[in-house]
Amino acid sequence: MYVSEVENQNLPDTPLFTGLTRKLLEGYFKLYGTQHFKVFTLHHSDRTCIGYFYFYTYTRLGFRFTITPPGLPNIGLVFINGAQKNQTRIGQEKDMLQLLADNLWLKKSHYVELVLPETFQQMQTLIWSGYLVEPRYTYHLNLNGTQESILTAMSSELRRSIQNFDAAPFEIKRNEVSSNINSLINRYYRNKKIALSSNISLKLMELYQSQNQALSFTVYKNKVPVAFTFFKVHPDRLQYLFGAHEPHLPSGLNSWLFWLAIQEAKNLQLQLLDFEGSMIPEVERFYRKFGGDLKVLYSIKRNTFLIKWYFWLKAKIT
């Protein structure tokens, strides 16, 4: 097996790259720039394409950084695993991760930090290849039950905040992604010290909306946007990606927006709400109250001695 870089945005002709996947990748190329956004395909020795992944790369002071694309939850690693026996499936997963570890672009990078999709759990190969593996956590809420059973599974505090929320002072608009929320997102990111450009968030939301993969709610008070939440629609699930709100709003507002999303997901016959994950304690506590199942995913890191010096110098300057 081997890895090949996609050049000039020429994605191979394979069922892996559906029409929607191609449009999303083309959108990512346009958003991030071909010099930064890199796609790699995974192949059998007979050149059959069996998977792909992507990442974002840039240089600072001559150092190369390779990271998960800003605003995306992970590196999109996908591969066809046709093995029937569990032992063989695990072996093939490890083989794929070895291909990732051996990627020359990563080996030449001074700093690597990538988030893997939650389906990849066999981390030994990456540890043996010198990567620091760190767990991250998310919650999955099963939506197959009735609305009543979903409410019952929530914490009593969250359930009361939803049932008692007074939406009368607010105007809530569905699927309105426009530049008028940019300043709201920018202030929220700045206050929460979130290292993500509000412009990138907005462009990603516009991309997903153009492909009918968006569900969002914008909250107005006195015709001014005060809160916003955005979900990406997958064939089987709803995935939370972005959100922002002004301080000092009623505590039940955010819970209410998620409840609206749950109701819409059930209307779309989706099976799961993926909270996408957060390592911020207050956000994790909020997600936990919905009664979902805790899921573990992994990020991998590797840096060189020189990059440690870079971060030390950067901290001194700032």
Side-chain angles (χ1 to χ4, degrees):
M1 292 185 288
Y2 65 94
V3 177
S4 177
E5 181 180 354
V6 172
E7 297 182 352
N8 301 317
Q9 304 183 44
N10 292 324
L11 299 171
D13 185 13
T14 168
L16 274 173
F17 293 106
T18 62
L20 175 59
T21 299
R22 289 177 181 275
K23 289 180 180 178
L24 289 179
L25 290 175
E26 289 168 1
Y28 296 156
F29 276 121
K30 183 177 180 180
L31 173 60
Y32 299 115
T34 55
Q35 72 274 29
H36 298 299
F37 185 73
K38 304 294 181 181
V39 178
F40 293 83
T41 49
L42 307 167
H43 299 262
H44 278 311
S45 56
D46 63 1
R47 298 187 179 182
T48 303
C49 181
I50 58 172
Y52 66 91
F53 62 90
Y54 46 73
F55 51 64
Y56 181 88
T57 185
Y58 64 96
T59 58
R60 290 285 187 277
L61 299 178
F63 295 109
R64 178 186 287 177
F65 295 78
T66 299
I67 62 174
T68 303
L72 300 188
N74 55 60
I75 62 170
L77 179 59
V78 173
F79 83 100
I80 299 172
N81 192 339
Q84 299 298 317
K85 294 183 178 179
N86 186 55
Q87 184 177 2
T88 307
R89 292 182 63 84
I90 291 174
Q92 289 195 2
E93 179 179 326
K94 289 183 176 181
D95 289 343
M96 291 301 103
L97 293 178
Q98 187 65 62
L99 287 176
L100 175 66
D102 291 341
N103 180 266
L104 287 177
W105 194 283
L106 297 187
K107 286 189 171 183
K108 292 179 180 179
S109 297
H110 299 91
Y111 180 84
V112 175
E113 183 173 0
L114 305 174
V115 180
L116 301 175
E118 69 197 43
T119 51
F120 291 87
Q121 296 288 311
Q122 308 299 323
M123 295 294 109
Q124 300 97 323
T125 296
L126 293 163
I127 295 172
W128 296 333
S129 297
Y131 286 89
L132 173 65
V133 175
E134 296 181 342
R136 301 166 66 93
Y137 302 96
T138 186
Y139 286 90
H140 285 178
L141 181 63
N142 189 319
L143 301 178
N144 288 324
T146 64
Q147 291 188 20
E148 291 74 18
S149 66
I150 293 174
L151 273 172
T152 301
M154 296 178 184
S155 72
S156 57
E157 177 189 2
L158 180 68
R159 185 168 58 251
R160 285 194 300 270
S161 71
I162 292 172
Q163 294 172 332
N164 298 330
F165 179 70
D166 180 14
F170 303 100
E171 179 184 9
I172 300 177
K173 294 186 178 182
R174 182 181 180 275
N175 286 352
E176 182 191 68
V177 176
S178 61
S179 58
N180 67 342
I181 62 170
N182 193 46
S183 59
L184 170 65
I185 297 173
N186 192 43
R187 286 194 300 275
Y188 182 80
Y189 284 0
R190 187 170 59 249
N191 292 338
K192 295 294 184 179
K193 296 181 171 58
I194 297 174
L196 178 63
S197 162
S198 59
N199 182 61
I200 286 180
S201 298
L202 192 60
K203 293 295 184 183
L204 284 170
M205 289 185 280
E206 290 173 347
L207 172 62
Y208 298 141
Q209 184 158 284
S210 71
Q211 302 303 319
N212 297 317
Q213 284 192 292
L215 174 65
S216 66
F217 300 97
T218 306
V219 182
Y220 289 84
K221 187 173 184 180
N222 299 324
K223 298 184 178 181
V224 177
V226 296
F228 177 81
T229 187
F230 181 93
F231 302 82
K232 184 181 179 185
V233 180
H234 297 267
D236 64 337
R237 69 182 61 192
L238 199 64
Q239 182 182 34
Y240 173 71
L241 289 185
F242 305 110
H245 58 80
E246 298 287 14
H248 312 304
L249 291 173
S251 59
L253 176 58
N254 207 29
S255 306
W256 177 252
L257 293 178
F258 272 84
W259 178 240
L260 292 180
I262 289 171
Q263 292 176 305
E264 184 62 27
K266 288 191 65 62
N267 290 338
L268 295 172
Q269 298 184 330
L270 302 179
Q271 301 171 15
L272 196 71
L273 171 58
D274 181 355
F275 288 89
E276 196 268 317
S278 177
M279 299 303 286
I280 303 173
E282 64 184 84
V283 177
E284 187 277 336
R285 285 192 293 271
F286 172 68
Y287 292 165
R288 192 194 322 151
K289 293 176 182 178
F290 283 86
D293 297 322
L294 181 66
K295 299 294 181 179
V296 181
L297 59 156
Y298 294 95
S299 67
I300 60 172
K301 296 182 180 180
R302 183 177 59 78
N303 54 41
T304 64
F305 174 78
L306 287 175
I307 207 67
K308 294 178 181 178
W309 173 85
Y310 166 85
F311 283 123
W312 176 84
L313 182 61
K314 181 179 179 182
K316 286 288 185 181
I317 294 174
T318 57

